[in-house]
Amino acid sequence: MTEVPGNLPTRRLLLVHAHPDDETINNGVTMAKYVAEGALVTLVTCTLGEEGEVIPPELAHLASDRDDTLGPYRIGELDTAMAELGVTDHRFLGGPGRYRDSGMMGVAQNDHPGCFWRADLDEAAGHLANVILEVRPQVLVTYDDNGGYGHPDHIQAHRVAMRGYELAAERGHRIARVYEICMPRSVVEAGFARLAAAGEDFPFEGIATPDDVPGVVDDDQVHVTVDGAAYNDRKSAAMRAHASQIAVDDPFFSLSNDLGQVIFTTESYRQVRGEIPIPGTRGHDLFEGLADAADGDDTDSAGDAADGTGDGAR
Ligand SMILES: [Zn+2]
């Protein structure tokens, strides 16, 4: 679904994700909070997540090695999840099904000619630049250069986001800030300490120390933490909407590996483009200090009406 008000709201946030459900797991409270505050929140999802592992037995037939209908099914799940978060502008990069899920690193699906991992970078980023020029976000959120945890589609989503940022700047809109999703080291260390106190090992294979945790950064590299406790119900509801992929048991959830994780109500970000804050200074708003609608736009600003309540009429 794509619904952009005729008069763009003053604050505009764009998120680039690899598969349906990544947006909710990583940024669910952030998205719900900014929607509630009147910002335009635009989600671009790069694949349909066709290669996801299906959790509920009654949906097992959807999997890529059986009916291969998981992709279309997940479009519906994403629609429901976005309704829970209040997000009305969500799109698939290049249109639904343009890029196929590449599967985990090293599997045969990495070589599928239509998969996102094999996409031409400038072509894929060109699709994103079109969206950027349409909604003119001040803030872009995506993964770090390892895609958070090394999934090919997440790495590619990072590359496309950064290249799309460049292409859009060349074509007239420079996004004021780009943030990468991250995890503060202190939060990870506290998690390890709790497990140690309970006499348990960290429950993920290959993760023995805080340094092994995807996206972990030193605390002074965390530039913004969004406290979304007020929106945690929305995040939980949106996670439940991704039922083919996520089992929710508040405040925990699990993916197809069946290992419990905590649903984070605080989401953390490291700024990588724009004026980078001094290390150790941490804000709580992705837009903090940005002048209203003065977003460095080289093009017309007639659409930047100050009231954030466009009704679709232009
Ligand atoms: Zn993903």
Side-chain angles (χ1 to χ4, degrees), residues 1-29:
M1 191 205 307
T2 300
E3 242 178 67
V4 178
N7 293 316
L8 291 175
T10 304
R11 298 192 297 171
R12 300 179 298 277
L13 169 64
L14 171 65
L15 302 101
V16 177
H17 275 291
H19 312 108
D21 80 0
D22 291 319
E23 77 297 325
T24 300
I25 294 169
N26 286 287
N27 310 113
V29 297

Side-chain angles (χ1 to χ4, degrees), residues 33-109:
K33 172 183 148 76
Y34 283 109
V35 167
E37 293 178 357
L40 175 63
V41 175
T42 299
L43 169 67
V44 173
T45 306
C46 297
T47 78
L48 303 185
E50 293 93 334
E51 299 295 338
E53 282 184 56
V54 178
I55 295 178
E58 65 274 19
L59 297 178
H61 64 94
L62 300 172
S64 64
D65 58 356
R66 291 183 60 186
D67 298 349
D68 195 17
T69 50
L70 183 58
Y73 188 84
R74 292 183 74 178
I75 293 177
E77 290 186 334
L78 184 61
D79 274 344
T80 307
M82 292 306 92
E84 296 289 2
L85 298 180
V87 172
T88 56
D89 183 18
H90 57 99
R91 312 145 184 247
F92 289 95
L93 187 71
R98 173 65 186 82
Y99 298 106
R100 187 178 167 97
D101 187 332
S102 312
M104 294 292 188
M105 190 64 90
V107 301
Q109 287 88 334

